[in-house]
Amino acid sequence: MSEVALARKPWAKTLNRMQWRSLFAANLGWLFDGFETYALILTASLVLRTLEPTAPATQVAFLTGATIAVTLLGWGFGGIVGGVFADYFGRRKALLTSMVLYAAFTGLTAVSWSWTSFLVLRFITGFALGSEWGTGTSLVAETWPAHARAKAAGLMQCGLGLGFFLASACWYFIAPLGSDSWRYMFLIGVLPALFALWLRRKVPESDQWTSAHRRRRELKERGGELTAHEKSFTRLTLRQIMVDPKLRRLTILGSLMSLVTTLGWWGISTWVPAYVASRAAGAGHSATAWASGAGMIYNAGAIAGYIAFGFIADRVGRKPAVLLYFAASLILTPVLFLWTHSLGLIVVVLVVNGFFTLGQYTWMPVWLPEFYPTHLRATGAAFVFNAARFIAFLGPLTAGAIISKLGGYGVAATAVGSIYVLGLVVAPFCPETRGQKLPD
């Protein structure tokens, strides 16, 4: 059936079981990543008080930022390596390897005996976490039809918000268990290892990757003189996305926008639970309960934002959707942290803020796979998604330093949030790809 005929039917009825399984695998893998990531945000302060009890109170925010920054660095390295791995060895194998490794090291995090050991394990866990996204994104993009691809990306990306929500819900019940409650949170992260068994048996490999892999192998065996296009198959994937002028331009533009989204998220959202907890404590309420509740509310908005972006991008285009989310995030950051003081109103703003500041992440699984050909797709998407972390780790460090110096969250979040201006400048230079077939 042609793409035009498919587009005339309800999109959900045009899909087969294999496509839904691929989406479910990518979504669930991203859900586990989200749980692990937000578990760190929720527990970082308690971990520091347990493992570094002599640290002055004024340094807690900075050390929390440093812990998150180390995880981001590991994520960046692992994500790029994982993308290359997925282009050479397959989407399914890369996804499976990632899940097993981060399940193992998340479990080991629970037995950390010092802040140094915690940092080392967080770096390794981040390394394993990083490779999941580019692999899952490529798998979904290559198995879903063009008219529903953005919707699939939004449904995949919402797994991150679901993981955040589940982490907040678990922390609500686990936090009262004492000073070692953070260890239980990381033990839950072992569960992805069980899911990996299902993944190995039920999720098929991408046909597009299989064809590209066969082509790469044939060209390497043939040797001799190769055309420029043929050399793109035999050259190291990371090198190829930089050597090709068109791909280099797209990689630079995508990386700048990725930096905006990543630095904005980590430099702002990291402090939402602590900010809401401080407002609640000032009003005489439980800081811990409100911190957990804020995480759930914030991520409820994010889940809606992730999914909605895919539908918006399929309706009006990739570029308008990105510009809408960047502009709304720029405005809503000071609204939340500087101009909203009532707890009731904070709840409302949290939902809307989460919709845009977290929901904007969906632009990457929607747009990036459409920048790169199949034999370079996971490498290109993973590089853009993860390389930004080598700079974005400065977000929580900078915000933590501002909070430590000035004693407030509003100025720090708003200062970091100005990065969204860069996104509004860069996005118009990217090509519109709505409705187009993936590059071969």
Side-chain angles (χ1 to χ4, degrees):
M1 189 179 295
S2 70
E3 191 70 31
V4 173
L6 285 173
R8 290 173 180 168
K9 297 178 65 177
W11 68 273
K13 293 185 178 181
T14 65
L15 305 166
N16 58 42
R17 183 177 298 179
M18 182 271 290
Q19 290 164 332
W20 284 111
R21 281 181 179 173
S22 298
L23 174 60
F24 181 69
N27 174 275
L28 201 54
W30 202 222
L31 181 151
F32 288 131
D33 283 13
F35 181 95
E36 160 68 24
T37 302
Y38 213 67
L40 174 62
I41 292 174
L42 290 169
T43 62
S45 296
L46 180 58
V47 171
L48 286 169
R49 288 197 297 270
T50 303
L51 301 180
E52 286 287 322
T54 60
T58 55
Q59 291 186 12
V60 171
F62 177 77
L63 294 176
T64 299
T67 302
I68 295 169
V70 166
T71 303
L72 275 175
L73 284 175
W75 196 327
F77 283 112
I80 294 172
V81 172
V84 175
F85 184 93
D87 275 338
Y88 283 106
F89 299 100
R91 313 320 192 196
R92 189 181 67 167
K93 185 177 291 186
L95 199 60
L96 178 65
T97 303
S98 170
M99 288 182 180
V100 171
L101 286 177
Y102 80 68
F105 284 102
T106 295
L108 289 174
T109 299
V111 297
S112 300
W113 58 93
S114 66
W115 187 53
T116 301
S117 66
F118 185 77
L119 284 181
V120 171
L121 288 168
R122 292 314 307 161
F123 180 85
I124 300 174
T125 303
F127 188 94
L129 282 169
S131 63
E132 195 282 328
W133 183 88
T135 303
T137 292
S138 299
L139 180 64
V140 170
E142 290 166 5
T143 54
W144 278 58
H147 69 274
R149 192 186 305 129
K151 299 178 183 69
L155 292 169
M156 185 206 86
Q157 193 70 27
C158 83
L160 185 70
L162 290 171
F164 289 168
F165 186 91
L166 288 175
S168 298
C170 289
W171 187 237
Y172 182 84
F173 295 103
I174 293 174
L177 299 181
S179 60
D180 283 333
S181 55
W182 62 272
R183 299 184 188 274
Y184 307 138
M185 285 290 287
F186 290 112
L187 281 175
I188 294 174
V190 176
L191 292 176
L194 300 177
F195 169 68
L197 297 175
W198 174 85
L199 174 66
R200 183 179 180 183
R201 294 186 297 109
K202 296 293 185 180
V203 177
E205 184 55 84
S206 158
D207 290 338
Q208 288 191 34
W209 176 83
T210 301
S211 297
H213 180 64
R214 185 184 306 115
R215 177 67 168 156
R216 175 183 282 121
R217 187 173 59 246
E218 290 172 352
L219 289 171
K220 286 185 175 180
E221 290 174 352
R222 192 185 79 188
E225 290 294 324
L226 301 176
T227 66
H229 179 65
E230 289 173 337
K231 287 180 180 178
S232 74
F233 282 84
T234 60
R235 188 179 285 133
L236 178 67
T237 55
L238 263 180
R239 184 184 175 206
Q240 179 60 29
I241 64 172
M242 295 302 179
V243 169
D244 184 291
K246 178 183 177 181
L247 295 182
R248 181 171 62 243
R249 179 176 180 274
L250 291 174
T251 298
I252 292 172
L253 292 173
S255 296
L256 288 173
M257 290 198 298
S258 177
L259 174 64
V260 170
T261 296
T262 307
L263 191 148
W265 192 94
W266 285 97
I268 297 169
S269 301
T270 297
W271 308 104
V272 166
Y275 168 68
V276 176
S278 68
R279 303 298 307 180
H285 300 288
S286 168
T288 301
W290 270 90
S292 297
M296 288 186 282
I297 294 166
Y298 192 50
N299 286 293
I303 292 168
Y306 291 134
I307 297 172
F309 186 99
F311 285 82
I312 294 170
D314 267 345
R315 182 73 175 179
V316 303
R318 281 48 170 154
K319 199 178 301 186
V322 168
L323 291 171
L324 169 65
Y325 273 65
F326 280 158
S329 299
L330 178 66
I331 295 169
L332 287 166
T333 298
V335 169
L336 174 62
F337 286 94
L338 289 179
W339 304 331
T340 307
H341 306 294
S342 163
L343 284 174
L345 192 56
I346 283 176
V347 169
V348 176
V349 178
L350 275 175
V351 174
V352 183
N353 189 289
F355 183 97
F356 290 105
T357 58
L358 274 71
Q360 70 178 254
Y361 256 109
T362 298
W363 80 259
M364 286 190 262
V366 168
W367 219 356
L368 291 178
E370 298 170 347
F371 284 5
Y372 300 95
T374 300
H375 61 291
L376 303 170
R377 184 164 294 122
T379 298
F383 179 86
V384 171
F385 183 76
N386 290 287
R389 283 163 172 72
F390 298 129
I391 300 175
F393 82 94
L394 296 172
L397 278 179
T398 301
I402 294 174
I403 293 168
S404 297
K405 295 291 185 182
L406 302 180
Y409 297 98
V411 175
T414 303
V416 175
S418 63
I419 190 70
Y420 292 119
V421 173
L422 176 61
L424 292 170
V425 172
V426 173
F429 292 95
C430 294
E432 180 56 64
T433 55
R434 178 170 69 103
Q436 298 179 13
K437 293 181 65 176
L438 287 176
D440 293 328

